[in-house]
C-alpha cells in the first residue's frame, strides 16, 4: 500500500469525529462471513480427499493380497525337509510330487588334484617347453586315459622368463575354458604347483603331458616335474585326489552324479550331498502350507485394515457429537457393503469349503474377520480345495472364488471410472468451484471495502467543511455581540 493511501486511511474520521475504520472493519467482517464458510468447507474437502487417499491405499493393498492368493504358483509351491540336513540338503520346486524318500549318501563327488615336485620358491625357474592338458577319465588302475567327448588337447607354451611357478600358474589360469585351475602351495619341502579340475566327476579328470626342452619328458627335473601321465610312465606329479562321482541310494536304488547336487533323480526335488551317511536320511516333500498360510493371513489383515479404516472414518461419536470425515458419505458406505458382501458370499467353487467360516475365517459384528488357527490348519491339509475356494473362476457368482471376487471388486473400485476414482474427481471439482467462489467473494469484498472507504472519506470531507463553516459563523456572531 502506498504512503498516500496509508495517510488517507489513518486520517479517516478526523473531519467527522466518527470511528470510520472501526465501522468499516465490522461491516467487512460481516461481508467476509461467506468466505470463512467456504474456507471451512475447503478444509473439509481437503480432509475428505486425504481420507479417500488412505482408503484407496487400503483397497489397493487388499487387491494385491487377493492377487497373491490368485497366483497358481502359490498353490503349486512345495516344501521339502531332511531328517539330517548336515549331510543332505533338499529343496522342492513348484509342482514337485509329494512323498517320502529314504536316501543314503555313499560318496561325494570330487575333482582331480595333482601336485608337482617341490622347488625352492615360487620364483625359481623350473624349465621351458610345452604342457599338453587333456580333460577325461582315468581307468580305476590308471592304466588308461579316455579323453572327454568333445574336448580337445590344450597346449600351453612355456618360454624364456615364463618358467617360474608363478608365471606357469598365471598362464594356465589365463585359459579360462581349460577345465583346470592352478595354485601354489608352500609346504615344508618348498613350493609346489597344484592343479585341480574345475568340475567334479569321474569324466572331468585331467592328464598333463610335457614336451620338455631338456629332452626328457618323464624325469623329475625341468618342466616335466609337472607331468601326470601314469599310463605312459610319466607320473612325476603326485595325484592327491582322484576325480570321483557322487553316489547315493534312493529308496534302495543306486544313483550317481558328477556333482554333489542331484536335481534329476526325484521329479522336482534337488538333493545336495554334503557328507556320507551311516544310515538312511528321510526326505519329505509336501505342499508348502506355510506360504499358503502367510498369503491367507496377509489377505485377512488387508481386509481388516480396510474395514477398520472405513468404520472409523464413517462413524459418529455420540459423546463428542462429532462424525468422521466420511460420515454419511454414500460412496464410502457402499464400499463397506460391497467388500463385506464379497467376503461373506457363499460359493460352490469347492466341494469342501462353501464359505470363509469353513476354513476358520469368521465375520464379526464390527465387520472384521477373526481367524481360527485350528480350523485353518485343518483346511491347509486340503490345498487343492483351498485353491478352488479362493481362485475358481467358474460361471455365475456362486462359482467364483473368494480371491477372484475381491480382486475383481478392488480393480473396479480403483479403475478409471471406479467409485473411488470418481469420488475423488468429484471432490477435486468441488474444491475448484470452492476456490473460484472464494475468489469472487474476495473481489466483491475488496470492491465493497473500497466503496465504503470512499463514501466515508466523502462524508469526512463534507463534515470537516461544515464544521469549519460552523466555527466561522460562531466566531462572527461572537464578534457582533461584542460590537
Amino acid at each position: 500500500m502506498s504512503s498516500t493511501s496509508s495517510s488517507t486511511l489513518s486520517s479517516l474520521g478526523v473531519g467527522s469525529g466518527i470511528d470510520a475504520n472501526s465501522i468499516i472493519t465490522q461491516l467487512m467482517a460481516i461481508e467476509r462471513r461467506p468466505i470463512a464458510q467456504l474456507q471451512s468447507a475447503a478444509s473439509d474437502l481437503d480432509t475428505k480427499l486425504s481420507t479417500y487417499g488412505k482408503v484407496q491405499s487400503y483397497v489397493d493393498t487388499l487387491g494385491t493380497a487377493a492377487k497373491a492368493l490368485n497366483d497358481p504358483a502359490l498353490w503349486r509351491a512345495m516344501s521339502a525337509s531332511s531328517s539330517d540336513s548336515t549331510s543332505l540338503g533338499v529343496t522342492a520346486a513348484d509342482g514337485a510330487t509329494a512323498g517320502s524318500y529314504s536316501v543314503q549318501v555313499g560318496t561325494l563327488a570330487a575333482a582331480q588334484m595333482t601336485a608337482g615336485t617341490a622347488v625352492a620358491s615360487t620364483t625359481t625357474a623350473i624349465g621351458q617347453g610345452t604342457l599338453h592338458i587333456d580333460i577325461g577319465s582315468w581307468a580305476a588302475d590308471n592304466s588308461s586315459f579316455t579323453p572327454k567327448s568333445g574336448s580337445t588337447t590344450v597346449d600351453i607354451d612355456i618360454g624364456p622368463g615364463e618358467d617360474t611357478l608363478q608365471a606357469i600358474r598365471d598362464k594356465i589360469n589365463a585359459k579360462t575354458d581349460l577345465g583346470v585351475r592352478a595354485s601354489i602351495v608352500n609346504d615344508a619341502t618348498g613350493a609346489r604347483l597344484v592343479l585341480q579340475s574345475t568340475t567334479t566327476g569321474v569324466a572331468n579328470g585331467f592328464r598333463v603331458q610335457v614336451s620338455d626342452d631338456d629332452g626328457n619328458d618323464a624325469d623329475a627335473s625341468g618342466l616335466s616335474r609337472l607331468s601326470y601321465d601314469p599310463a605312459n610312465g610319466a607320473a612325476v606329479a603326485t595325484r592327491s585326489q582322484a576325480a570321483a562321482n557322487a553316489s547315493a541310494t534312493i529308496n534302495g536304488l543306486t544313483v550317481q552324479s558328477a556333482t554333489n547336487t542331484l536335481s534329476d533323480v526325484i521329479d522336482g526335488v534337488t538333493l545336495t550331498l554334503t557328507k556320507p551317511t551311516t544310515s538312511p536320511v528321510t526326505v519329505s516333500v509336501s505342499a508348502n502350507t506355510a506360504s499358503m498360510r502367510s498369503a491367507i493371513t496377509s489377505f485377512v489383515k488387508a481386509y481388516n485394515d480396510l474395514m477398520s479404516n472405513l468404520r472409523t472414518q464413517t462413524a459418529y461419536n455420540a459423546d463428542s457429537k462429532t462424525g468422521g470425515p466420511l460420515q454419511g458419505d454414500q460412496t464410502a458406505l457402499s464400499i463397506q457393503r460391497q467388500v463385506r458382501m464379497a467376503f461373506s458370499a457363499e460359493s460352490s467353487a469347492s466341494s469342501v469349503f462353501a464359505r470363509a467360516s469353513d476354513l476358520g475365517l469368521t465375520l464379526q459384528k464390527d465387520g472384521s474377520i477373526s481367524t481360527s488357527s485350528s480350523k485353518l490348519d485343518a483346511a491347509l491339509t486340503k490345498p487343492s480345495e483351498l485353491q478352488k475356494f479362493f481362485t475358481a473362476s467358474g460361471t455365475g457368482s456362486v462359482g467364483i472364488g473368494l480371491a477372484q471376487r475381491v480382486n475383481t471388486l478392488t480393480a473396479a473400485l480403483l479403475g478409471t471410472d471406479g467409485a473411488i476414482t470418481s469420488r475423488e474427481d468429484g471432490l477435486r471439482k468441488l474444491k475448484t468451484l470452492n476456490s473460484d467462489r472464494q475468489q469472487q467473494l474476495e473481489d466483491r469484498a475488496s470492491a465493497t471495502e473500497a466503496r465504503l472507504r470512499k463514501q466515508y472519506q466523502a462524508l469526512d470531507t463534507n463534515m470537516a467543511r461544515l464544521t469549519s463553516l460552523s466555527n466561522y459563523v460562531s466566531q462572527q456572531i461572537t464578534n457582533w455581540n461584542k460590537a
Side-chain angles (χ1 to χ4, degrees), residues 123-141:
T123 58
T124 301
I126 63 173
Q128 302 166 31
T130 302
L131 299 174
H132 312 284
I133 300 178
D134 294 287
I135 301 298
S137 56
W138 288 99
D141 59 358

Side-chain angles (χ1 to χ4, degrees), residues 256-271:
Q256 287 195 346
S257 171
T259 70
N260 290 313
T261 301
L262 283 63
S263 58
D264 55 359
V265 293
I266 301 176
D267 190 26
V269 177
T270 298
L271 302 175

Side-chain angles (χ1 to χ4, degrees), residues 19-218:
D19 189 359
N21 279 323
S22 176
I23 293 173
I24 291 172
T25 298
Q26 294 178 54
L27 289 173
M28 291 311 300
I30 297 172
E31 183 76 16
R32 293 180 62 83
R33 281 178 185 171
I35 298 176
Q37 292 171 349
L38 286 170
Q39 290 172 338
S40 177
S43 178
D44 290 342
L45 289 171
D46 284 334
T47 300
K48 286 185 177 181
L49 271 170
S50 175
T51 303
Y52 261 108
K54 293 178 181 178
V55 171
Q56 182 179 18
S57 177
Y58 282 122
V59 171
D60 183 62
T61 300
L62 179 59
T64 300
K67 288 178 183 177
L69 284 172
N70 268 324
D71 187 354
L74 172 69
W75 306 102
R76 292 199 308 267
M78 303 295 287
S79 63
S81 62
S82 166
S83 62
D84 182 4
S85 58
T86 61
S87 301
L88 178 66
V90 57
T91 58
D94 293 349
T97 302
S100 180
Y101 307 89
S102 176
V103 182
Q104 185 152 356
V105 182
T107 59
L108 298 182
Q112 179 179 328
M113 186 181 297
T114 64
T117 58
V119 295
S121 71
T122 59
T123 58
T124 301
I126 63 173
Q128 302 166 31
T130 302
L131 299 174
H132 312 284
I133 300 178
D134 294 287
I135 301 298
S137 56
W138 288 99
D141 59 358
N142 285 341
S143 60
S144 63
F145 178 83
T146 304
K148 188 174 183 178
S149 177
S151 67
T152 57
T153 302
V154 176
D155 296 331
I156 302 175
D157 295 324
I158 307 299
E162 300 175 334
D163 57 350
T164 65
L165 289 190
Q166 287 181 342
I168 295 172
R169 175 199 61 191
D170 296 341
K171 292 207 71 173
I172 292 173
N173 289 339
K175 303 285 186 179
T176 55
D177 58 348
L178 177 60
V180 174
R181 64 173 176 268
S183 60
I184 296 174
V185 174
N186 291 284
D187 61 18
T189 59
R192 298 175 185 270
L193 187 71
V194 175
L195 301 182
Q196 182 177 356
S197 301
T198 56
T199 307
T200 58
V202 169
N204 296 304
F206 59 88
R207 175 178 65 186
V208 181
Q209 296 175 314
V210 177
S211 296
D212 197 333
D213 282 0
D214 67 7
N216 189 338
D217 301 334

Side-chain angles (χ1 to χ4, degrees), residues 436-447:
D436 292 344
R437 183 57 179 157
Q438 281 192 57
Q439 188 58 53
Q440 292 172 358
L441 293 180
E442 285 285 2
D443 293 342
R444 190 176 77 177
S446 296

Side-chain angles (χ1 to χ4, degrees), residues 265-462:
V265 293
I266 301 176
D267 190 26
V269 177
T270 298
L271 302 175
T272 303
L273 315 183
T274 53
K275 67 179 182 180
T277 59
T278 56
S279 59
V281 176
T282 300
V283 170
S284 300
V285 181
S286 59
N288 189 348
T289 56
S291 61
M292 297 174 192
R293 174 188 285 277
S294 176
I296 294 171
T297 300
S298 295
F299 177 70
V300 170
K301 182 180 185 305
Y303 175 94
N304 283 339
D305 288 346
L306 170 62
M307 298 303 278
S308 174
N309 177 264
L310 287 172
R311 190 165 56 250
T312 300
Q313 303 307 327
T314 58
Y316 176 77
N317 189 317
D319 294 332
S320 62
K321 293 181 172 55
T322 58
L326 302 183
Q327 183 199 2
D329 188 291
Q330 292 305 307
T331 299
L333 295 173
S334 175
I335 293 172
Q336 273 184 306
R337 287 193 299 271
Q338 291 181 72
V339 174
R340 184 164 182 164
M341 287 175 60
F343 185 86
S344 59
E346 189 169 329
S347 170
S348 61
S350 165
S351 60
V352 177
F353 308 112
R355 48 186 71 81
S357 58
D358 292 339
L359 42 137
L361 310 181
T362 306
L363 198 62
Q364 304 298 296
K365 290 183 179 180
D366 63 357
S368 65
I369 299 171
S370 67
T371 303
S372 168
S373 294
S374 58
K375 290 188 74 173
L376 183 56
D377 285 342
L380 286 168
T381 63
K382 303 177 180 67
S384 61
E385 291 299 323
L386 268 183
Q387 180 178 6
K388 294 175 187 177
F389 175 79
F390 281 109
T391 71
S393 54
T395 57
S397 59
V398 294
I400 299 176
L402 173 57
Q404 281 278 16
R405 291 197 302 272
V406 173
N407 188 36
T408 300
L409 173 59
T410 55
L413 291 173
L414 298 173
T416 304
D417 299 322
I420 293 177
T421 305
S422 298
R423 183 63 175 128
E424 288 179 328
D425 289 344
L427 290 171
R428 292 189 186 95
K429 288 178 182 177
L430 288 175
K431 197 165 182 296
T432 298
L433 291 173
N434 180 290
S435 179
D436 292 344
R437 183 57 179 157
Q438 281 192 57
Q439 188 58 53
Q440 292 172 358
L441 293 180
E442 285 285 2
D443 293 342
R444 190 176 77 177
S446 296
T448 298
E449 184 174 5
R451 176 174 53 79
L452 288 173
R453 290 192 178 281
K454 186 175 181 180
Q455 290 173 342
Y456 273 100
Q457 186 66 46
L459 174 62
D460 210 30
T461 300
N462 290 332

